[in-house]
Amino acid sequence: MSDLGDFGDFDADADTDDGAADSSSASSDGERAATSSTTDADDGFEPTNVEPSGEDVGIGTICVSQGLRVAEDGDDTTLRAYVTRGNRSSVRIGSYLLAPYPDGETLFCRITGLEYAQQYHADDATEIHARRAMRADEIDESDYKFVAELEPVAVLYDDSDEQSSSGSRTQSGDDGELKRRMTDRVPKPQTVIRQADDTAEIKTGLKMPDDGVFLGHLSVGGEKVRTAASPPTIDYRLKDDYDAGDPLVFRHTLIAGGTGSGKTHGAKNILRQYLADERTYPMADGREVTPAVVQFDPQDEYAQMHDDNPDLDDEFARRLEREGIAYGGHDDTTAFVPKVGSASYAAGHHRAQQVEFTIPFAMVHDNPWLVAGSGLNDNQYGALVSVLLPRFRKQYGADGTYEEFTTFLDDPALREELDESGRVHEATFDAVRRRVLGFDNVFDQDARPITELVSDFVRPGGLTVVPTYHINDSRATETIVLAVSSLLIDQKLSNDPDYDRIKETPLLLGMDEAHNFLTDADSVQAGKVISKFTEAAKQGRKERLGLFLITQDPQDIHDAVFKQINTTVVLNLGDEDAIKSVNIPSNLESKVPYMEKGQMVVYSPDNSEPVELIGLPKCLTRHGRD
C-alpha cells in the first residue's frame, strides 16, 4: 500500500493534451478579465454578516434527542445536555449545574456522565481517519456531539415567591430565602444550563449549613469549587446548634483513612474547632458550657495541639480569620500519662503540661471485664462477677488492691471450699486465676488514681490527651483506654453520678485506632465494651456526649457502634473491604482509592448531600516531629 503522502503529487491535468490545456487556460483568463471589468464598473454587493448576534450564555442546553424525563425512581430519569465546543474542556463529572425554569425556579443537578457522540454517521475506525488524525495539529470536534448526563438533585426556589391564581409562581424580589425541595418537575427542552458559581445556590442545592464546625472546602474531582464571591471557595460545616436539631458532634463522627492520607492532620483541625472559645452548648440547667475533649492517642501526636504551628504564616492566618476558622495552639492542653510499670514517657515534641495517673483496682468492681482481657467464657466470667469479686470485696474492702486480689486467688483453701460447695468448679477457678494474672504493671502504680483527678481530667474548654505510645504491652494499653473511657461513659449515662463534673460538662470522647478497642470479637470483654459504647452512642444526644472515632480499618469496628455514627469522613483508603464498610454512595466510593492527601468524602445525611472536600493544606496547630 502506498503512503498517503503520494496523493500530494497527483496532477489532474497530467494526461490531457497540451494544446487543450493552453486553450482552456486562455479561455479562463478571458472570463476572469471580463468578470473583473464588470465588478469594477458596479458599486459592489454588501457583505453578509454571518456572526451570531448577542453572546453565548451558559455551557449548553437541555436536549431531548434521547428523551427528557424526571421520575421518582432515579433509574427512570433521563436528563441530558448538549455542551458547546468552547466549554467542553472545563466540564467534569461531579460538576454542579443549574437549569432555570421559566417561572423563576431552578433545577440544581450534577453531572454523572460525559459522552462524545457522532454528529453524522460515519465509520472513523479506519486507517485513513487514524493517519489523518496522527498528522493533524489539533483535534477537530465539529463532527462530534458532547453530551452530559445529569442527575437532578433538587429544585431551588425563593420562599418570597407567591402562587398566582393561575397556579404559576411569580418572583416577588430578592428578600426571600433560597430554599430547596425534591425534584418534582422536568425542565423545558433547549433550556440553557450554566455551571453553579453562586455560594448560596450551591449550599442550598446540597443542603449545606451556613454555620457550624468547619471541615474543609467543597471540591469536585480534587479541585475546589470556585465562585465569584470572596473568598471564592465554599466552606463546608457541620451543624452545631439546636435550632436545626441536635448538634452533630453528639451524633458521633468517624474519620477513616489509610497511612499517609492526612487523617491525623484533619482530625486535629476538626478538634481545634470544638475547642474554640465561642463554642458552647446548653445544659439541662440552662448553663452554656464549652465542651471538654478527651483524646486517646496511641501515636503521641495530639498533645502537640498545645503549640502553634510555625509554618502557619500571617497571610494564611488572615484567610482563616475571614472564614471564621479557629487556629493556633490551645493553651489548655494537658497530657495525662498512664503510669505502667517502668515505662517512661518522653515529651520533647510538645510543651503541654504532663500529669501521671494510674488505674485503681477498685474500678474493677464496677467493670469486671477489665481483668478478663484474655477472653473468659460466660461460665468463667459468671464465677468472677458473682462469686470471686464479691467475696474479695467483703474480705478486703472496696479499696482492695490488685496485689491483694492475686493473693486472695492463691489461697488453696478458698479453691477447695468453692469447689466442694458447688459454687465454682476447680477447673473454672483455675481458668479465672490464670486469666486475671499479668496486670501487675497496670493497676495501683506509683501515681495518683484517675478517680482522684476527675476535675482536672475533664475541664470545660480543655483538651486532655492520654498518650499510650510509650506502653509496649498491648494488653495494658487496652485495659487503660477502656478503663478511662468506661469511667467517662458510666458517669455520663448515670442518673446518680459520683462525679458531677463529668455529668455536667459537654464531652467529646476521641479515640484514635478505634478498631483496636471496638472490634467485633467473641470474648466476654469485647461484648461488654461494645454494649457500653453502643449505649453511649444512643444516649449521646441527650447527655451531651459525642464519640470521635479515628481508624484506618473501619471494617473492624463493630456494626452496632458503626450504625450510630451520623457523620463519616473518608480519606484515601486502598483496601476494598475498608471502602465497602464505610457505606458511602457508590459514585463517591469509586473515587476513594485515588484521592490525594487531604482530599475527603463526607457522608452526613442529616447535614448535607454526600460531597467531596479538600481539607486545609496546613495544620491549625503544631503537627509532625522534627
Side-chain angles (χ1 to χ4, degrees), residues 22-153:
D22 292 342
S23 174
S24 174
S25 176
S27 174
S28 297
D29 290 343
E31 290 176 0
R32 281 196 296 270
T35 302
S36 177
S37 175
T38 302
T39 302
D40 291 341
D42 296 337
D43 291 334
F45 295 101
E46 293 184 4
T48 302
N49 184 8
V50 296
E51 292 296 324
S53 60
E55 296 182 358
D56 291 346
V57 178
I59 65 170
T61 60
I62 298 292
C63 54
V64 298
S65 58
Q66 297 186 28
L68 179 56
R69 174 183 171 87
V70 171
E72 290 183 343
D73 187 345
D75 293 337
D76 294 334
T77 294
T78 303
L79 189 61
R80 297 161 64 87
Y82 176 87
V83 181
T84 56
R85 267 188 292 170
N87 296 296
R88 295 175 180 180
S89 297
S90 63
V91 175
R92 298 286 186 274
I93 290 180
S95 296
Y96 302 108
L97 303 179
L98 297 171
Y101 296 102
D103 56 7
E105 294 186 341
T106 304
L107 177 64
F108 183 85
C109 49
R110 186 174 65 87
I111 297 177
T112 58
L114 296 171
E115 174 189 5
Y116 273 106
Q118 287 187 329
Q119 185 84 5
Y120 311 102
H121 180 70
D123 183 6
D124 58 358
T126 64
E127 182 75 12
I128 192 168
H129 276 85
R131 298 287 290 275
R132 282 177 179 172
M134 292 164 66
R135 298 186 179 196
D137 293 333
E138 60 183 20
I139 297 174
D140 182 11
E141 295 190 51
S142 59
D143 290 342
Y144 300 94
K145 296 182 288 186
F146 190 76
V147 180
E149 295 184 9
L150 309 180
E151 175 191 28
V153 178

Side-chain angles (χ1 to χ4, degrees), residues 249 252-254 489 508-510 533 536-537 545-549 561 565:
V249 61
H252 320 302
T253 303
L254 173 72
I489 292 173
L508 183 60
L509 182 60
F533 273 83
L545 170 64
L547 302 180
F548 191 82
L549 309 180
V561 177
I565 301 294

